[in-house]
Amino acid sequence: MRSGGLLAFSGGVIIAALAPGLPAFPLAVTGLLLAVLSFLLLRSPAFQPEGRGRNAVLIGCCGLLGAAWFLVQASWQQSTEWPAERAGEHVVLSGTVSGLPRQYGDTFRFDFSPDRNSWAELDAGPVPRRIQLSWFRPSVYLQPGQPLELGLRMTPPHGRLNVGGFDSRRHLLSRRVGALASVTEFDAASTGASGPLHWRAWPDRGRQYLAEVIQAESPGSRSAALQRALLIADRGGMDPALSETLRRTGTAHLLAISGLHVGMVAMIFGALGSLLAMPISLVFPAIDRRRFGIVLALGGAAVYALMAGLTLPTQRALVMLAVGLGALLLRRPIRPAHALLVALFTLLLIDPLSPLASGFWLSFAAVAVLIWAFAWRAPGQRGSWWTGLIKAQLIVAVGMLPLNVGLFQQFIPMALPANLLAIPLVAMVILPSLLLSAFLIGLGLPADWPLAISGHALHWLIAALEWMSALPGAYRPMAGSGWLAIVLAMIGAVWLLAPPGWPARWLGLPLFLPLLLPPSFDRDSSVLDLHLLDMGDGQAILLSSGGDSLLVDTGPGDGEGGDAIGHALPALLRATGLPPPSAIILSATTRRHAGGLGSLDDDLPRWSPLGTHGEACLAGQGHSLGEYRLLVLHPSAALPDLGNNSSCVLVIEGPGGRVLLPGTVDSVVERRLMLEQPDLQAEVLVLSRGGHRAATSAAMLDWLRPELALVSVPRHDRAGRPHPELHERLASRGILSYTTGQCGGLSLRLTPDQPPEIRSAAGQHRRFWLPHRECP
């Protein structure tokens, strides 16, 4: 019953994380109290005699207790977040830097823990315990635990949301970030004197010192970035190309400080403890050498876990190690599966929001797969360490396939050879030399030679991984699958990897077919799919029909790869099965519309205003897309540079209706278009300039008579777009409107003889952290 209760509690937490909505905090607390009282009553011997029925009810009560625990924590977290109605408000707060600051170009991003007295002075209502700050070119050296008084522009936690893309809002919630803010003011004279450093800041100070020494002493910047990530889980120095190489070779898991790292530290400290126990036992004969080594091993692993930032994989590895070493200390046997279950229960009890993080699933799933496949085998059946490593990689590849394909939409055939090279090299050469270098740096001794060993090994490893990732077929993006296909594949993996003696293990193979077979997508040339991506302060639209696609605008960015579309567009293509765009049309050449060009193929045909990028976009030009025709209405060849009014105005028309894309023009160009195209109508209108009041005039709406209006605008837009006057114009004419800021990416389908069909990223996956109530 004990294992059943732990499993039921953990299952209750995980199931509650899928809830589409949350109860109010007082109601959630009431539910938790009722669950606790029910559990205590059922545990009372006087309530009911022992029996299977009582145990079943107890297990069910544990599940309810876990669900109530999650709902209370999630409801409390959301109740303390910065309110949406106060987005953009300026406040002055004092507090301390939490964790390691990370640099992204000229901007530093770090967590900030405000002082409660500072909130009380502001009478600010909710009190976020953690704020994620962005500071452009800070004028002070940032350190963990450093006290600061800052002027901040506050917004609620939010992020871009696209079909198949990364859910930033869920990630912030899992980290308990209650607000986002940018630093607007800093007065060094107003910052209070630094008092005694809080004990929680000491490990992060040590991590920062190690990171700076490693970065300065290592032979190469890329090797130094990997050294920092492998030793102290600091990924701030890794460039996007290196991260992509690790992802495409299936070796990114090595950067998670988990069982390999924590276990090696424990082994080193355990051996050291056994050696130290020999002379100590001469003075204190009662000391047990074995137990002394176990205690020292656990203490060393705990200190290292603190230095590694206590990330989720580190916590899981530390708890499992503590359970295993605790059993050795007490001389009691324990099964690996029970140690994993205790680790799962402990983490969910400490942080019930951890299932919202992707690392939670990867960490526990990989260990569970290995335990399921190996724990039943006798020691003599496991073979040598080399054959064991090969078997382990094959087992992990098969066991993690449902998550990799179903959730992360990738299949990596090159992962097996890459890990067979990387894991022994990291375990036997790189990690021991890094641990030795950290020890020497901590003592203030020269550590150049162990850093050189790990640096040169990482240099050759990076070169080998880059070569592997460039091989044909090394990495295959996969279309997303439904939950049914994922669950069937998980059952198939469990059946296929079952221990020897399991009947007909080959029957697990057919259950992978729904996951691996490519889904069928509609290639009807009479149907037009329009995807308005959530790009924040910018615009990007993917048009597709009949197996061909075209991209209108690329969203914001620096033009050199620092953008959002480099991640959002491939994720959308994988999730929908649409082909990559065969051409690009830029409605404007500003960074909001053309900033993502650096992440796109340079060989794609391009059209833009005045021919700034590729050919000039001129009135009368046309492009075919299935049975649809994309026609340029503006500008004409005779017009000079009119700034925003030189934008390309496009109309897409075909069997399913018309869509007008006005770019960035205002009411001046709108009047000109009405004179040139007096009979033009469009069922769908994408609003110009993010819903600025100078565009989309009442006369234009009466001219087009659209049924639906879409707008690309950031959530909590500083300019207040779409403007309230524009909202009133649309509402008075019965035109439905949706924004990417509110609903994430918007997907429109035009089908002959049917009204336009609109869906949103928030509406497709209704979760309590998404604002889906008014989203299609």
Side-chain angles (χ1 to χ4, degrees):
M1 192 298 243
R2 293 177 181 176
S3 297
L6 297 182
L7 185 60
F9 179 91
S10 304
V13 172
I14 293 171
I15 292 173
L18 303 175
L22 290 179
F25 180 68
L27 185 60
V29 172
T30 303
L32 178 62
L33 292 176
L34 290 176
V36 172
L37 288 175
S38 301
F39 179 78
L40 293 177
L41 286 174
L42 289 171
R43 288 285 295 173
S44 174
F47 183 77
Q48 168 176 337
E50 289 284 350
R52 293 184 179 180
R54 183 190 182 197
N55 288 340
V57 174
L58 272 173
I59 290 175
C61 188
C62 290
L64 293 176
L65 193 61
W69 179 235
F70 175 87
L71 294 176
V72 165
Q73 292 288 320
S75 180
W76 170 253
Q77 177 61 29
Q78 287 204 323
S79 68
T80 59
E81 292 177 349
W82 189 258
E85 58 271 15
R86 301 182 65 177
E89 184 175 327
H90 287 74
V91 298
V92 177
L93 291 175
S94 61
T96 55
V97 178
S98 176
L100 288 182
R102 296 187 177 183
Q103 185 175 1
Y104 300 90
D106 290 333
T107 301
F108 281 76
R109 187 176 296 166
F110 58 95
D111 291 342
F112 186 71
S113 299
D115 298 334
R116 292 189 177 273
N117 294 335
S118 183
W119 283 115
E121 293 174 2
L122 290 173
D123 191 22
V127 185
R129 296 182 179 179
R130 178 178 296 174
I131 304 174
Q132 183 175 288
L133 299 189
S134 296
W135 195 347
F136 181 73
R137 293 180 180 175
S139 55
V140 64
Y141 174 62
L142 297 171
Q143 290 182 288
Q146 180 180 8
L148 294 171
E149 185 174 325
L150 303 170
L152 306 175
R153 181 184 293 112
M154 303 287 292
T155 60
H158 64 280
R160 300 184 182 97
L161 180 65
N162 288 293
V163 175
F166 181 69
D167 190 344
S168 301
R169 178 69 181 91
R170 184 185 66 183
H171 176 68
L172 293 172
L173 181 61
S174 70
R175 294 184 58 244
R176 296 181 181 267
V177 174
L180 303 180
S182 57
V183 178
T184 58
E185 302 173 13
F186 171 68
D187 185 2
S190 65
T191 301
S194 177
L197 191 64
H198 195 279
W199 68 269
R200 293 181 180 176
W202 280 111
D204 288 326
R205 283 280 178 101
R207 294 175 68 202
Q208 187 179 46
Y209 177 71
L210 281 174
E212 292 172 349
V213 172
I214 290 172
Q215 194 69 43
E217 298 293 335
S218 296
S221 59
R222 304 185 81 193
S223 298
L226 270 180
Q227 286 173 322
R228 291 162 55 183
L230 286 167
L231 182 63
I232 55 174
D234 175 20
R235 306 185 188 184
M238 293 185 60
D239 58 79
L242 179 57
S243 300
E244 183 68 11
T245 298
L246 296 176
R247 187 178 71 87
R248 292 176 65 91
T249 54
T251 53
H253 66 93
L254 293 173
L255 303 185
I257 308 297
S258 56
L260 175 66
H261 309 70
V262 176
M264 181 164 290
V265 171
M267 182 178 64
I268 293 173
F269 274 86
L272 181 63
S274 297
L275 292 175
L276 291 176
M278 295 176 65
I280 294 176
S281 62
L282 297 176
V283 182
F284 301 100
I287 289 181
D288 187 328
R289 288 180 53 192
R290 182 186 181 194
R291 292 185 175 181
F292 185 81
I294 290 174
V295 171
L296 197 61
L298 186 56
V303 171
Y304 176 69
L306 283 173
M307 293 300 297
L310 271 182
T311 59
L312 196 148
T314 310
Q315 295 177 43
R316 188 264 308 157
L318 183 61
V319 173
M320 287 193 66
L321 181 69
V323 173
L325 292 182
L328 290 177
L329 196 65
L330 299 175
R331 303 184 187 277
R332 293 183 179 179
I334 186 171
R335 296 188 299 271
H338 189 68
L340 182 65
L341 180 58
V342 172
L344 176 65
F345 168 79
T346 304
L347 288 186
L348 293 178
L349 185 64
I350 296 172
D351 184 12
L353 301 187
S354 56
L356 301 178
S358 301
F360 171 87
W361 300 96
L362 294 176
S363 177
F364 279 96
V367 178
V369 166
L370 291 173
I371 290 176
W372 172 248
F374 281 113
W376 306 94
R377 300 174 187 266
Q381 297 176 340
R382 296 171 187 175
S384 64
W385 72 269
W386 180 249
T387 58
L389 177 62
I390 296 176
K391 289 179 181 179
Q393 291 306 308
L394 286 171
I395 287 169
V396 169
V398 174
M400 299 298 289
L401 195 62
L403 291 181
N404 282 327
V405 175
L407 297 183
F408 301 102
Q409 301 169 358
Q410 59 183 7
F411 176 54
I412 311 175
M414 193 53 63
L416 177 60
N419 278 283
L420 290 178
L421 169 66
I423 290 178
L425 188 60
V426 169
M428 297 180 182
V429 179
I430 297 172
L431 191 54
S433 59
L434 283 175
L435 292 172
L436 177 59
S437 63
F439 180 73
L440 295 175
I441 292 171
L443 295 179
L445 300 175
D448 50 346
W449 63 271
L451 284 176
I453 292 174
S454 60
H456 289 301
L458 282 171
H459 173 77
W460 289 108
L461 178 61
I462 292 171
L465 293 179
E466 288 179 339
W467 176 78
M468 289 182 180
S469 66
L471 293 175
Y475 174 84
R476 287 184 57 193
M478 303 286 289
S481 302
W483 280 104
L484 179 59
I486 296 174
V487 171
L488 288 176
M490 292 175 68
I491 296 173
V494 170
W495 197 275
L496 186 64
L497 299 176
W502 195 275
R505 287 187 292 175
W506 59 270
L507 289 176
L509 290 173
L511 296 179
F512 282 91
L513 294 179
L515 184 76
L516 298 178
L517 291 178
S520 59
F521 294 97
D522 190 1
R523 295 290 186 267
D524 190 349
S525 60
S526 66
V527 175
L528 175 72
D529 287 310
L530 181 151
H531 296 275
L532 181 62
L533 282 77
D534 183 6
M535 290 284 103
D537 193 11
Q539 178 175 284
I541 302 172
L542 182 69
L543 303 171
S544 181
S545 180
D548 191 14
S549 295
L550 185 145
L551 186 65
V552 178
D553 294 331
T554 65
D558 57 10
E560 299 178 356
D563 50 52
I565 199 166
H567 299 284
L569 182 60
L572 175 66
L573 297 179
R574 289 195 300 267
T576 58
L578 296 174
S582 58
I584 301 173
I585 298 179
L586 300 175
S587 64
T589 57
T590 62
R591 286 197 170 187
R592 295 179 178 180
H593 294 256
L597 283 175
S599 294
L600 301 173
D601 189 353
D602 292 334
D603 297 330
L604 291 177
R606 301 177 181 181
W607 290 266
S608 64
L610 307 175
T612 306
H613 300 282
E615 299 183 24
C617 179
L618 298 174
Q621 291 176 341
H623 306 273
S624 296
L625 200 64
E627 297 182 27
Y628 288 80
R629 179 74 172 168
L630 191 147
L631 183 65
V632 180
L633 302 181
H634 176 83
S636 61
L639 289 176
D641 185 0
L642 302 175
N644 284 334
N645 279 334
S646 290
S647 176
C648 299
V649 178
L650 311 172
V651 63
I652 304 106
E653 55 184 359
R658 288 194 186 94
V659 180
L660 183 68
L661 309 179
T664 61
V665 301
D666 58 20
S667 56
V668 175
V669 176
E670 292 173 3
R671 289 193 293 270
R672 183 171 182 267
L673 292 173
M674 285 185 276
L675 292 175
E676 295 177 348
Q677 306 282 340
D679 298 326
L680 182 65
Q681 294 183 8
E683 288 81 359
V684 181
L685 171 65
V686 178
L687 301 185
S688 173
R689 298 169 64 179
H692 196 282
R693 66 174 175 176
T696 319
S697 61
M700 181 184 186
L701 294 176
D702 293 334
W703 165 54
L704 289 176
R705 289 184 286 179
E707 303 173 13
L708 191 63
L710 310 178
V711 57
S712 179
V713 66
R715 188 164 176 80
H716 313 300
D717 182 51
R718 292 172 58 183
R721 298 172 301 172
H723 197 274
E725 292 182 9
L726 181 54
H727 265 303
E728 185 177 347
R729 292 176 210 160
L730 297 171
S732 63
R733 290 163 176 80
I735 303 172
L736 295 176
S737 63
Y738 300 101
T739 73
T740 57
Q742 180 67 22
C743 298
L746 299 171
S747 300
L748 174 75
R749 169 163 288 195
L750 295 182
T751 306
D753 303 323
Q754 294 184 19
E757 179 186 353
I758 181 72
R759 295 172 296 164
S760 67
Q764 290 184 53
H765 304 284
R766 298 185 180 273
R767 297 291 183 262
F768 67 86
W769 60 85
L770 297 177
H772 56 72
R773 291 175 180 82
E774 299 178 357
C775 298

